[in-house]
Amino acid sequence: MAPSSSALARIITRDIRPDAGPVIELGPGTGAFTRCILSKGVPESNITLVENSPDFTALLRQRFPEARLLEMDVTRMRRGEDPWKTMQAQAVISGLPLLTMGTRAQWNVVGACMQSLRAGAALYQFTYMTKCPVAPEILARMGLRAERIGSSLFNLPPASVFRITRI
């Protein structure tokens, strides 16, 4: 697999506004979505990057020195000190492979994401499948709705983007 394409980055960040508050990015990898968020006018200091790979973390630290960078396993986001409850982010942008996670891990990640969002905000998740990668029982139990908002055939492999919001 190649890094996310600029076409996919434009779709997943299309609702981001420069003055609407912080943005959280999960699994930023090389920073393809981060660059697109910055191009929308969001100050780098208003971006929180959550990455588990030490190699990617070092790269992101060089590329985005003013961003808040958390090196951690996102499936543990709801444990310990929980900064997610008070963030009031305008969006969470996720490049996480949710389909490979178990139900408990998905529950933790999606729950922490929804806690971090202000009213009316959304979690944006991409997947290489055509259906939402969040388990239907999680969506139902959390009172969430998933809507496919676009796809990029120019991404390798092609990808779909879902906006996940509270009902």
Side-chain angles (χ1 to χ4, degrees), residues 79-151:
R79 298 183 186 159
E81 287 191 30
D82 195 350
W84 316 107
K85 289 180 183 176
T86 60
M87 277 205 169
Q88 296 297 299
Q90 66 167 301
V92 174
I93 306 294
S94 174
L96 298 177
L98 290 181
L99 285 172
T100 64
M101 294 181 182
T103 304
R104 174 169 274 161
Q106 274 195 25
W107 177 266
N108 287 337
V109 171
V110 174
C113 289
M114 299 317 289
Q115 286 178 344
S116 72
L117 295 168
R118 65 181 175 151
L123 162 62
Y124 296 84
Q125 176 68 49
F126 89 89
T127 180
Y128 300 122
M129 307 301 281
T130 55
K131 68 174 195 153
C132 180
V134 178
E137 60 270 20
I138 291 174
L139 294 171
R141 284 189 62 202
M142 289 189 183
L144 304 175
R145 180 181 89 144
E147 172 189 13
R148 187 170 179 239
I149 62 169
S151 60

Side-chain angles (χ1 to χ4, degrees), residues 13 16 18 23 25 31-47 49 63-67:
T13 63
I16 301 294
V23 176
E25 186 179 354
F33 297 161
T34 314
R35 285 188 293 280
C36 200
I37 294 166
L38 289 168
S39 76
K40 301 247 181 204
V42 174
E44 191 171 312
S45 59
N46 271 2
I47 300 173
L49 305 172
R63 289 184 176 174
F64 311 107
E66 294 176 33

